[in-house]
Amino acid sequence: MSVSEMNALLLKKTGWTAAWGMALGSAVALGGCVGAFDPKTDPSSPLAPRIQQLVDENRQYPRWADFPRSSAPLPAPAEIAADVGRLQGRNAALTAETARIEWTLDSDPAAFIAQVSRRVDAGQMSPQTLRTAEEIEAYAEELRRRAKVPPPIDRPRP
């Protein structure tokens, strides 16, 4: 028997075993859920009779017959078609309106960036925002230095 034939035999054997193992594993896993669909109430509980009564009363709930019927009649197909026509007309008007907008964002990115920079520079900046990167790093280093744990205190042992 050649090596490839031996590998084929091995795959057949392990594949069959793996399939049975997976089936057995899923059966065991799903078997744990069987009791969850029919829970039992502890008969020694003082609320057991009331719980069982509520469960029995609502076992079939909700049913379609329990829902109230709408008193308003359904719209006629002509009314639905008119509503759809109005929506499509509004959609066409909105599309035409947005097509008339002059979009300036993609015309000159450098000019847009300059305009935004001017608007930002004109606003009031907080002192924290005006710090340079070096000042921020120095502040962070100061906080790290202050956050170090002090050395332990030598205490005499009794």
Side-chain angles (χ1 to χ4, degrees):
M1 186 179 284
S2 70
V3 173
S4 59
E5 290 171 343
M6 288 173 44
N7 285 342
L9 257 173
L10 181 65
L11 287 176
K12 284 183 183 177
K13 287 181 183 178
T14 56
W16 182 254
T17 306
W20 276 103
M22 287 175 49
L24 182 63
S26 61
V28 168
L30 291 175
C33 298
V34 170
F37 297 116
D38 191 22
K40 300 292 181 198
T41 306
D42 182 16
S44 63
S45 170
L47 295 176
R50 177 69 178 139
I51 291 171
Q52 193 59 46
Q53 176 191 359
L54 289 172
V55 168
D56 291 340
E57 287 174 0
N58 297 307
R59 191 166 299 276
Q60 299 300 323
Y61 191 78
R63 296 177 304 163
W64 284 113
D66 296 333
F67 289 99
R69 294 195 180 276
S70 174
S71 60
L74 293 175
E79 290 178 52
I80 295 173
D83 288 343
V84 169
R86 270 194 301 277
L87 285 174
Q88 288 175 342
R90 288 179 185 168
N91 184 25
L94 183 61
T95 303
E97 197 174 322
T98 55
R100 287 192 301 270
I101 295 174
E102 186 178 320
W103 299 100
T104 57
L105 295 178
D106 58 353
S107 60
D108 186 15
F112 179 71
I113 290 172
Q115 177 190 7
V116 170
S117 295
R118 281 193 305 274
R119 286 176 33 203
V120 168
D121 290 341
Q124 289 281 353
M125 292 288 195
S126 73
Q128 300 297 329
T129 309
L130 296 175
R131 288 181 161 179
T132 63
E134 293 80 19
E135 290 173 330
I136 293 171
E137 284 301 320
Y139 180 68
E141 186 58 40
E142 173 67 19
L143 289 177
R144 284 187 208 105
R145 186 190 60 75
R146 289 176 43 199
K148 285 186 180 174
V149 179
I153 299 172
D154 291 331
R155 296 179 186 217
R157 295 185 184 230

